[in-house]
Amino acid sequence: PVFEKMLQSSMTEGSTRVIQVDDFAADVVEGFLELLFTGTRTSTESWGDMLRMADKYQVDGVIKICLASMLSTLSVETVVPYFGALNKLSHLEDVKSAKEEVWSKVESNKELLRKLADAA
């Protein structure tokens, strides 16, 4: 809905038909667009950042893909950034549920728990 409104408005995006995204890294924007247009992502990096971008632009389908991917790729390397993204977006019901699932996995895995504690 956000992209559509931007492109149909009298804002710069509406007249130029270009949406400038400056608050996310290029690889995050690329991954987000890949998810948006294909429903898949060839790289497994940046799920937390893509989740934040999907929330900002209100793309529910991408939010669901990101959450599912975060749950399936949770590891010692990803637990801290994933938890950070989930905490920032805990106002969303789907995110609350995913956060509970992640926390359950963290509680049962000493390595994940230690990594999260070390980052606190």
Side-chain angles (χ1 to χ4, degrees):
V2 174
F3 287 129
E4 184 177 357
K5 287 180 181 172
M6 290 172 78
L7 293 171
Q8 292 178 350
S9 74
S10 58
M11 297 174 9
T12 303
E13 293 86 357
S15 60
T16 63
R17 310 297 289 167
V18 174
I19 297 174
Q20 185 79 26
V21 179
D22 295 325
D23 47 350
F24 293 95
D27 64 319
V28 174
V29 175
E30 181 181 325
F32 176 83
L33 291 173
E34 185 179 356
L35 279 175
L36 187 62
F37 288 106
T38 69
T40 61
R41 175 77 174 123
T42 53
S43 171
T44 59
E45 298 173 16
S46 306
W47 288 117
D49 291 330
M50 284 188 288
L51 175 65
R52 288 190 1 257
M53 188 170 177
D55 175 59
K56 177 178 180 173
Y57 292 105
Q58 299 175 358
V59 185
D60 293 337
V62 173
I63 289 173
K64 291 181 186 320
I65 293 169
C66 289
L67 291 172
S69 297
M70 289 168 76
L71 289 169
S72 67
T73 61
L74 184 66
S75 69
V76 172
E77 293 80 24
T78 62
V79 68
V80 173
Y82 286 5
F83 228 85
L86 294 170
N87 279 335
K88 287 180 183 176
L89 301 178
S90 60
H91 61 278
L92 300 173
E93 203 57 44
D94 287 343
V95 172
K96 284 181 191 176
S97 298
K99 185 178 173 184
E100 288 173 9
E101 284 186 61
V102 167
W103 182 246
S104 177
K105 289 181 179 189
V106 167
E107 285 182 314
S108 64
N109 184 311
K110 289 180 183 180
E111 282 185 272
L112 294 177
L113 190 58
R114 191 173 315 121
K115 183 71 172 187
L116 202 54
D118 289 346

